Amino acid sequence: MKPMRKVEVVTDILNANDQIAQENAETLRAHGIVAVNLMAAPGAGKTSLIVQTARALDGRLRLGVIEGDVASRIDADRVASEGLPVVQINTGGACHLDAPMIRQALRALPLDEIDLLIVENVGNLICPVEFRLGEALRVMIASVPEGHDKPYKYPGIFTAVEAVVINKMDLAPYVDFNLGALREAIRGLNRDAAIFEVSCRTGEGIGEWAEWLWGQWQARRAPSAA
Amino acid sequence: MHELPVTEQIIKVVLEHARQADAKRVAQVNLVIGDLTSFVDESIQFYFDFLSRGTEAEGATLHIRRVPARVRCHACQHEFAPDGVDWRCPRCGNLGGEVLSGRESYIESIEVE
């Protein structure tokens, strides 16, 4: 019997996903596209924010959308009715999108006609954050009815994003919600994240959020693809 | 749920390294996983036992070293381990800080014969 030996490996267990995410990032860069990975709990308003963002940008940027859901085309149909190019991914049970799914979806989108690609992840605050997709920006929505204590329950996602959009601000007077406490908690976990207070229903705050996206797009798009 | 594709990847990498090392059998797989990730040890173990059947890694012990979250206070630079939901610096009381560890998820080594 051979003696026991130790073999050093030191390979990230998400290495396979990350490599494809890197390829996706290169594909996107080559087409001058900035991609946003939009994450949130189910019902926080991801699709509503996409629709409102498209209206607020009003053609300044050409949007494309990838919709991730366990099942159905409800979200894709809603986005398509706004006249945006959209691909629906049904994960068939998987709780998050991964880079190979995005690679597949990119083949179905008119990449030369898109400036800003918003990828709506599966509604989930846990798993999506582990899987890079090739995005330039990670954004999450924390909606008012979810409560102000979520950052400390889901530190993984709150520490990983470039922006937090607090949605459903119009409901704040009707629920037990402390905006100051939520802002303090977000700040405590993530000093650099931009924080927006919006209501996709009333349109409050959407303009400021869309301006930020516009600024991010200008700063992050590949200069050669201008 | 997402431990399934992740464990498939672990086994693929483990078998590649085992074959490169000309090993007959993998006795142990040493993983390092941070507490800020969402990987569940029992779930990885479950899929590992299932997916490794019939390979050189069948029956291998999965050793998972957990790395606790460590944070450096934004205000006073003190390094501390957040206590569950409390990310307040124990020295100065400031909230939160830069994450120093807890996000790891890698295969450190394998033990083969």
Side-chain angles (χ1 to χ4, degrees):
Chain A
M1 192 168 133
K2 286 187 181 177
M4 199 71 80
R5 290 170 290 149
K6 192 165 192 164
V7 179
E8 192 162 297
V9 179
V10 196
T11 300
D12 196 288
I13 62 179
L14 294 168
N15 191 37
N17 182 76
D18 290 348
Q19 278 180 13
I20 295 169
Q22 190 57 40
E23 290 169 26
N24 291 343
E26 280 156 24
T27 302
L28 291 162
R29 198 175 305 123
H31 288 87
I33 300 173
V34 172
V36 177
N37 182 358
L38 182 60
M39 301 176 283
K46 293 182 290 299
T47 312
S48 299
L49 185 67
I50 291 170
V51 168
Q52 291 290 356
T53 303
R55 291 178 188 167
L57 286 169
D58 192 25
R60 261 197 292 173
L61 294 175
R62 297 167 300 170
L63 254 63
V65 178
I66 295 175
E67 284 289 342
D69 284 290
V70 169
S72 90
R73 298 197 31 94
I74 295 168
D75 287 353
D77 290 346
R78 205 170 138 205
V79 168
S81 72
E82 296 286 319
L84 303 175
V86 58
V87 173
Q88 175 79 52
I89 298 173
N90 283 143
T91 62
C95 49
H96 59 273
L97 295 176
D98 62 27
M101 295 177 195
I102 299 304
R103 180 169 63 184
Q104 193 76 18
L106 289 177
R107 292 182 185 137
L109 279 170
L111 297 183
D112 290 326
E113 294 160 26
I114 294 171
D115 302 313
L116 182 70
L117 176 68
I118 303 184
V119 181
E120 180 182 332
N121 220 309
V122 178
N124 180 341
L125 292 177
I126 305 166
C127 316
V129 74
E130 310 284 1
F131 295 82
R132 298 310 298 246
L133 306 176
E135 74 278 50
L137 288 166
R138 296 201 279 182
V139 174
M140 72 172 296
I141 303 174
S143 71
V144 163
E146 292 168 55
H148 49 258
D149 57 357
K150 288 298 163 290
Y152 295 112
K153 294 186 174 181
Y154 302 96
I157 190 164
F158 278 92
T159 54
V161 294
E162 275 76 36
V164 181
V165 177
I166 305 172
N167 188 27
K168 309 192 190 183
M169 282 303 295
D170 54 311
L171 293 180
Y174 309 107
V175 294
D176 184 11
F177 173 76
N178 182 335
L179 177 63
L182 177 61
R183 291 192 74 109
E184 187 193 20
I186 295 168
R187 213 24 101 224
L189 291 176
N190 189 333
R191 188 171 52 169
D192 302 321
I195 302 175
F196 301 95
E197 296 165 22
V198 313
S199 165
C200 287
R201 207 165 69 86
T202 67
E204 169 195 349
I206 296 291
E208 193 193 337
W209 148 252
E211 282 310 311
W212 180 83
L213 265 184
W214 167 246
Q216 290 292 319
W217 181 82
Q218 287 180 308
R220 289 172 189 267
R221 70 182 166 148
S224 59
Chain B
M1 175 71 216
H2 66 239
E3 280 81 358
L4 173 58
V6 160
T7 310
E8 282 172 341
Q9 179 62 19
I10 291 171
I11 290 178
K12 183 165 168 264
V13 172
V14 164
L15 292 178
E16 277 169 14
H17 279 80
R19 282 160 197 168
Q20 274 168 25
D22 202 22
K24 289 261 177 297
R25 192 176 81 85
V26 180
Q28 184 162 317
V29 177
N30 297 311
L31 299 178
V32 178
I33 295 181
D35 282 344
L36 288 176
T37 72
S38 57
F39 297 110
V40 180
D41 296 6
E42 292 77 10
S43 187
I44 295 176
Q45 181 78 58
F46 172 80
Y47 287 121
F48 186 87
D49 292 345
F50 180 76
L51 294 167
S52 62
R53 280 183 204 160
T55 74
E56 297 93 315
E58 180 169 354
T61 306
L62 210 52
H63 180 264
I64 300 176
R65 179 162 67 83
R66 278 277 167 181
V67 183
R70 281 198 74 77
V71 170
R72 184 188 290 128
C73 173
H74 285 318
C76 77
Q77 310 301 314
H78 178 58
E79 290 182 17
F80 64 99
D83 177 17
V85 298
D86 187 7
W87 281 51
R88 215 168 274 282
C89 173
R91 192 161 81 180
C92 76
N94 192 64
L95 193 54
E98 181 195 348
V99 175
L100 301 175
S101 71
R103 289 195 180 287
E104 302 77 0
S105 61
Y106 62 94
I107 308 162
E108 188 177 50
S109 61
I110 55 176
E111 285 161 45
V112 301
E113 57 188 51

